[in-house]
Amino acid sequence: MSILAKFSALAQARAFHIGAGRDPFRVVIEQALSATEGVIEGRTVLLFGTNNYLGLSHDPTCLAASIEAVRRHGTGTTGSRIANGTFDLHNQLEIALAGFYRRRSCMVFTTGYQANLGMLSVLAGKDDTLLIDADSHASIYDASRLGHAQVVRFRHNDADDLYRRLRRLGAAPGCRLVVVEGIYSMLGDSAPLAEIAAVKRETGATLLVDEAHSFGVLGEHGRGLAEAAGVESDVDFIVGTFSKSLGSIGGYCVSDHPDFDILRVACRPYMFTASLPPAVIASTQAALARLREAPELRDNLWANARHLHGGLRQAGFEVGPHASPIVAVSLPDIATATRFWNRLLDQGIYVNLVLPPATPDGRPLLRVSVTAMHHAAQVGAAVSRFTEIAAALGLRREAA
Ligand code: PMP
């Protein structure tokens, strides 16, 4: 028997998707022309399926910083943070991020995925309990396997359920670490953080918020959901990523914990992988400065988010109740979703096709996201293509 035989069901599903048009999990962006346009299959298409919320991937100051750093410091560090991979650039970025969040300490990781793997597995040890939202990102689930804590899932965005589960733990030994997300990556909804912070206070748990999609997006200064909900002092650890609002790659954790620094020699996904290359650190540092000095980017992002969400809702699509830079359009079945997605790309609109089991309610969805850089005409074009394709496919929609 082939060692890959265990994936035969997956292979069958994949063959179906490829047969329906193109492989949705292997779309090739031949050139990223800007934050909003790319070349796919030789044609220029509008990008409505990235996480480039502030559009900083093509910001001139970020590009210049990156080019300068690669010239000065070379293409890579060739080592981990605890060996030869800590350059002054890494330290400077950690200081800048800690300052931005007004926290004592920061650790930078090579990806956001590794930041979650590292922080959750190192914080929740053998005798501890890790409490995670049922709709958590894969990196949070994977972290729960890497660590040795007991893992408890609570119902998505349900602070009462979290409270009940914490109470049920009674006097069991160990610490309780609660993990929620600022904006959930598939539906674009946010954790009820004020309620969760109240549960944390009452039960003495430790609270970590993954602000991957909310950093630079929520809060007056862009510090995320904790800032927007006014509960920063209740959040013990914030994890985030550079791969979304800052347009590069990398992860981080900030905290006020006085002993935070010990994690540099305890957290394996920090210790045993090569550090970020100079060009990435430099563009990230420049992007953080742009985020701080240009709040209008956030205003543009939200104007586009409201336009997209309102337009799709007006056209009768089933979208979430609140505007968000991520708008999830639920579709009735996989065949319709696959056909819809292919037609959108045929007509120059790139979005993400998300299929069960990666979707929260078991239904397929089209994940549509905007950036600060989209023009209103581009958002309008996306809404029009959605409407035309729905009509062509005879899709039932709710009257607006
Ligand atoms: N956390 C969440 C909530 C995410 O959505 C993602 C990426 N989609 C990550 C962490 C991982 O970040 P990265 O892609 O930068 O590794």
Side-chain angles (χ1 to χ4, degrees):
M1 193 171 75
S2 155
I3 197 163
L4 299 185
K6 50 188 160 291
F7 298 113
S8 62
L10 194 58
Q12 247 177 346
R14 186 161 186 238
F16 167 80
H17 300 310
I18 296 172
R22 41 176 85 77
D23 184 346
F25 306 115
R26 224 166 156 186
V27 173
V28 178
I29 296 178
E30 288 141 24
Q31 195 184 346
L33 299 168
S34 68
T36 63
E37 289 190 337
V39 179
I40 295 177
E41 297 169 4
R43 290 178 309 130
T44 298
V45 303
L46 292 176
L47 300 175
F48 279 98
T50 73
N51 301 305
N52 203 356
Y53 301 120
L54 301 182
L56 292 174
S57 61
H58 289 67
D59 181 272
T61 58
C62 299
L63 296 177
S66 200
I67 292 163
E68 161 75 5
V70 79
R71 290 223 164 94
R72 275 176 65 116
H73 300 281
T75 54
T77 66
T78 80
S80 77
R81 293 294 303 274
I82 57 166
N84 58 302
T86 295
F87 288 16
D88 193 38
L89 292 165
H90 298 86
N91 288 338
Q92 292 305 325
L93 181 58
E94 286 175 343
I95 291 167
L97 276 163
F100 173 69
Y101 279 102
R102 304 185 301 185
R103 301 269 179 169
R104 187 196 285 241
S105 310
C106 172
M107 260 165 78
V108 162
F109 293 75
T110 304
T111 64
Y113 177 85
Q114 284 161 300
N116 270 338
L117 278 193
M119 290 309 303
L120 271 51
S121 64
V122 84
L123 289 174
K126 193 164 65 60
D127 297 323
D128 302 327
T129 306
L130 178 61
L131 295 110
I132 64 175
D133 184 289
D135 284 3
S136 289
H137 185 257
S139 56
I140 293 172
Y141 273 102
D142 293 355
S144 73
R145 290 199 206 162
L146 186 67
H148 301 283
Q150 180 194 178
V151 180
V152 173
R153 282 193 317 171
F154 58 93
R155 274 208 296 273
H156 178 55
N157 278 354
D158 190 336
D160 292 337
D161 191 41
L162 170 64
Y163 180 69
R164 274 192 300 274
R165 288 171 193 273
L166 276 162
R167 288 294 300 268
R168 219 175 284 157
L169 291 173
C175 300
R176 286 90 167 97
L177 177 67
V178 175
V179 178
V180 296
E181 296 178 30
I183 293 181
Y184 285 85
S185 58
M186 292 300 143
L187 295 185
D189 54 339
S190 286
L193 199 58
E195 293 169 37
I196 284 174
V199 170
K200 169 240 155 102
R201 282 195 299 273
E202 189 171 335
T203 58
T206 299
L207 179 58
L208 182 149
V209 181
D210 176 351
E211 301 265 20
H213 293 270
S214 38
F215 169 39
V217 170
L218 294 178
E220 191 188 339
H221 302 91
R223 291 199 297 268
L225 180 63
E227 183 188 16
V231 293
E232 285 177 285
S233 59
D234 290 308
V235 178
D236 303 285
F237 298 91
I238 288 179
V239 165
T241 171
F242 307 144
S243 68
K244 306 185 195 305
S245 283
L246 298 189
S248 63
I249 186 166
Y252 63 90
C253 178
V254 294
S255 177
D256 278 328
H257 198 293
D259 300 325
F260 187 77
D261 219 47
I262 194 64
L263 300 182
R264 292 190 195 271
V265 288
C267 181
R268 298 171 67 86
Y270 171 86
M271 297 163 69
F272 298 111
T273 194
S275 65
L276 285 167
V280 168
I281 295 282
S283 77
T284 303
Q285 182 75 273
L288 181 62
R290 293 287 296 133
L291 185 160
R292 296 182 86 150
E293 78 202 9
E296 64 275 14
L297 292 175
R298 216 157 21 261
D299 298 340
N300 292 352
L301 172 68
W302 278 99
N304 285 332
R306 282 189 288 272
H307 183 177
L308 178 70
H309 179 261
L312 289 172
R313 192 168 56 179
Q314 191 75 24
F317 287 98
E318 190 182 333
V319 295
H322 305 293
S324 164
I326 301 167
V327 181
V329 178
S330 291
L331 290 172
D333 57 79
I334 292 177
T336 306
T338 307
R339 219 173 291 137
F340 205 122
W341 177 82
N342 271 292
R343 290 214 186 175
L344 277 170
L345 193 48
D346 290 342
Q347 297 189 26
I349 308 288
Y350 172 72
V351 303
N352 308 121
L353 174 64
V354 190
L355 298 172
T359 55
D361 68 354
R363 281 190 303 163
L365 55 88
L366 297 173
R367 177 190 183 275
V368 197
S369 56
V370 280
T371 74
M373 301 295 166
H374 281 101
H375 299 299
Q378 293 175 319
V379 180
V383 173
S384 299
R385 294 300 90 75
F386 262 87
T387 311
E388 290 154 13
I389 293 168
L393 293 178
L395 208 69
R396 248 193 79 232
R397 282 172 286 148
E398 298 299 317

